[in-house]
Amino acid sequence: MVKTRGLFWHLLPAFLLVAGVALVIFAWVESRFVRGFHYEETVTGLTERARLLQAMLTDRKLADAGAELARMCSALSTGETRITVILPDGSVLADSSALPAEMDNHGSRPEVAAALGGRDGFAVRESHTTRQRMLYAAVPIRQDGLIRGVLRAAIPLDAWERRASALDEWLLVAAALSALAAALAGHLTVRRLMQPVQDLVDGAQALREGRLDVRVMVPPITELANLADCFNRMATDLGARIRDT
C-alpha cells in the first residue's frame, strides 16, 4: 500500500521553502545595500567635518594657526573621529590624537596624495600611528586659488563595523519575523485551500453512505469551484436517476 500524506503537508513545505529563499535573498541584498549606504554616510560625515575645519582656516595661513589649529582639530574630533592637518610637503601640522613631531611624513598616503592633487581622497588601511584599520576622508585646503594643505578626518574601521554589524542584526531579526509571518500566512492559506477539498471528501463519503441530498459549498477558487459544481450536479443527477427507477 502506497504511503500517503495530506495535501496540506505537500503544499506547506513548498510554500515555506519559496518564502524562505526569497527572505534570505532579500536579507542579503538589503544587508549589502544598508552597508553600502552606511559606508557612504560615514564618508560623507568625515568629509563634512574636514570641510568645516577648512572653512575656519580660509582667511589665515596654516603655518600661523599654531596651537589654535590643534584646538580646532580636538574640538571636531568628537567620539572616535580623528582630525589631521597636513602641509603640501606631507608634514603633519596638527593632529587630534598624536603629536605632529612624532608622526611620519604623510605625503605618500593615498587619500592625502589625492587631496594634494585637488580631489577628495578616501582610503581604508592601517594607520601607521595608531596601528588600527581606519576609514579616511581627505579634502584639499585652498587659499588664494592654491592648495595650501590637506584636511583629513578618520574613524577606526572597527567602530564602523560595529555599527554595520548592529544594522545586520536588526535585519536578521526583521528577516526572522518576516519568515514567521510568512509561515503563518502559508499555514492559513493552505488551510483555506484545504477546506473546500475536505468538503468534497466529506460529500463523496456522504454519497457513498446513500445520502443523495448532500451538496457542497462552491468555493471562490475557479478550479475547486468547477469541481464542486460537477459534484453537486452529479449528486443531483444520481438522485434523480434513483428516484426514476
Side-chain angles (χ1 to χ4, degrees):
M1 182 177 179
V2 178
K3 187 176 181 180
T4 63
R5 292 186 302 166
L7 181 60
F8 175 84
W9 295 109
H10 283 279
L11 295 178
L12 185 60
F15 182 89
L16 292 179
L17 177 62
V18 172
V21 170
L23 284 169
V24 169
I25 294 174
F26 170 78
W28 182 83
V29 172
E30 187 70 9
S31 175
R32 301 302 297 176
F33 172 79
V34 169
R35 276 180 169 264
F37 175 79
H38 187 56
Y39 174 83
E40 293 296 331
E41 186 180 44
T42 301
V43 168
T44 299
L46 292 178
T47 305
E48 287 176 350
R49 291 193 184 196
R51 291 197 186 285
L52 179 59
L53 187 52
Q54 178 188 10
M56 296 177 182
L57 298 170
T58 300
D59 298 326
R60 69 182 71 187
K61 293 182 179 180
L62 292 182
D64 298 335
E68 185 179 356
L69 184 58
R71 287 194 296 270
M72 289 180 182
C73 289
S74 296
L76 286 176
S77 63
T78 55
E80 297 176 294
T81 304
R82 178 184 171 195
I83 304 293
T84 309
V85 179
I86 303 155
L87 292 174
D89 63 0
S91 61
V92 177
L93 183 60
D95 188 88
S96 61
S97 62
L99 294 175
E102 299 176 355
M103 298 176 68
D104 297 335
N105 187 287
H106 279 44
S108 62
R109 307 294 198 266
E111 72 283 356
V112 175
L116 288 174
R119 308 184 311 276
D120 290 349
F122 307 100
V124 175
R125 58 179 177 78
E126 182 178 293
S127 168
H128 292 264
T129 304
T130 65
R131 299 302 176 185
Q132 289 181 291
R133 280 184 59 77
M134 305 284 284
L135 172 62
Y136 293 97
V139 297
I141 300 173
R142 301 178 187 274
Q143 293 177 332
D144 301 324
L146 298 175
I147 296 175
R148 302 295 187 181
V150 171
L151 217 303
R152 189 184 70 178
I155 186 173
L157 200 60
D158 59 349
W160 179 82
E161 285 288 351
R162 284 197 301 271
R163 289 195 287 268
S165 296
L167 288 173
D168 286 344
E169 289 175 5
W170 279 107
L171 283 174
L172 286 175
V173 171
L177 292 175
S178 298
L180 183 61
L184 179 60
H187 176 80
L188 295 175
T189 299
V190 173
R191 285 293 183 190
R192 181 171 173 269
L193 290 173
M194 280 296 301
Q195 189 56 52
V197 174
Q198 188 60 48
D199 289 345
L200 287 168
V201 172
D202 293 341
Q205 182 64 31
L207 276 180
R208 183 169 176 270
E209 294 172 356
R211 290 184 283 147
L212 302 180
D213 59 340
V214 66
R215 300 292 184 272
V216 297
M217 182 180 296
V218 178
I221 302 171
T222 302
E223 292 79 6
L224 293 178
N226 292 336
L227 185 59
D229 186 59
C230 288
F231 177 89
N232 290 336
R233 281 185 287 165
M234 180 186 70
T236 300
D237 292 344
L238 183 60
R241 290 178 183 177
I242 291 177
R243 284 194 298 270
D244 292 342
T245 57

